[in-house]
Amino acid sequence: MSNANRELVKLWFEQVWNKGDESVIDRLMSPTATVYGLGAAHGEPVSGPEGFKTFFRAFRTAFPDIRIRIMRTICEGDMVACHCAVTATHTGGDLGVAPSNAPIEIYGVSIARIENGQIQEGWNCYDFLSLYQQIGLLPKLAAKPGESPPLA
């Protein structure tokens, strides 16, 4: 089962994110799915495909050329964890800041629980602080004289 779950998650990133095929969300995400860590208002989880599509549309509008590369996966039972690299160009304004045309690169982890061939739960932990700094939503941290610059 782990291999099938790994392939489902790979398909998710390739079709949904890299190709922008929104119809795949309905096929691969359970109607009762809950997804955490997408930066939704007040830290609330996203519920079901329609809730996820709201996040997806805003993010794809802000970063229409987004590419998510799975660097490694770990599978155990019904769980799949992916370490990912995200690259894109900020050309849209759906994140509360005017397009900066800045290239971005962030890293993070997604964990999915698969049930009956669909994503039932998801947890995401991506470096949104660095993303917000790269697009100018937050200031970059400056190093003090004689110190190494902080990791961004």
Side-chain angles (χ1 to χ4, degrees):
M1 183 56 82
S2 287
N3 229 17
N5 291 347
R6 178 190 319 262
E7 291 306 312
L8 184 144
V9 171
K10 284 182 176 181
L11 184 65
W12 172 269
F13 282 107
E14 184 58 30
Q15 296 295 314
V16 173
W17 287 107
N18 295 340
K19 293 187 177 174
D21 187 349
E22 189 175 303
S23 70
V24 175
I25 295 168
D26 293 315
R27 188 164 42 100
L28 297 184
M29 180 178 277
S30 167
T32 59
T34 304
V35 182
Y36 302 90
L38 296 178
H42 310 294
E44 296 295 320
V46 170
S47 297
E50 290 308 313
F52 182 82
K53 286 177 188 177
T54 300
F55 170 79
F56 170 79
R57 289 174 187 141
F59 218 77
R60 287 280 306 181
T61 299
F63 303 100
D65 65 344
I66 190 168
R67 297 287 303 161
I68 300 178
R69 181 172 48 97
I70 297 174
M71 297 171 19
R72 59 189 54 87
T73 58
I74 300 170
C75 300
E76 184 174 317
D78 61 355
M79 305 289 280
V80 179
C82 298
H83 178 213
C84 300
V86 181
T87 57
T89 309
H90 181 228
T91 59
D94 275 16
L95 295 181
V97 62
S100 64
N101 295 311
I104 63 103
E105 182 175 22
I106 63 170
Y107 297 86
V109 174
S110 291
I111 302 171
R113 184 173 69 80
I114 310 301
E115 184 177 286
N116 299 320
Q118 291 183 308
I119 297 169
Q120 181 62 48
E121 287 184 282
W123 297 267
N124 296 278
C125 186
Y126 285 80
D127 189 359
F128 285 110
L129 174 60
S130 177
L131 170 70
Y132 297 155
Q133 289 172 329
Q134 291 175 58
I135 65 173
L137 187 59
L138 293 174
K140 291 184 180 180
L141 300 175
K144 295 178 183 174
E147 290 183 353
S148 297
L151 297 176

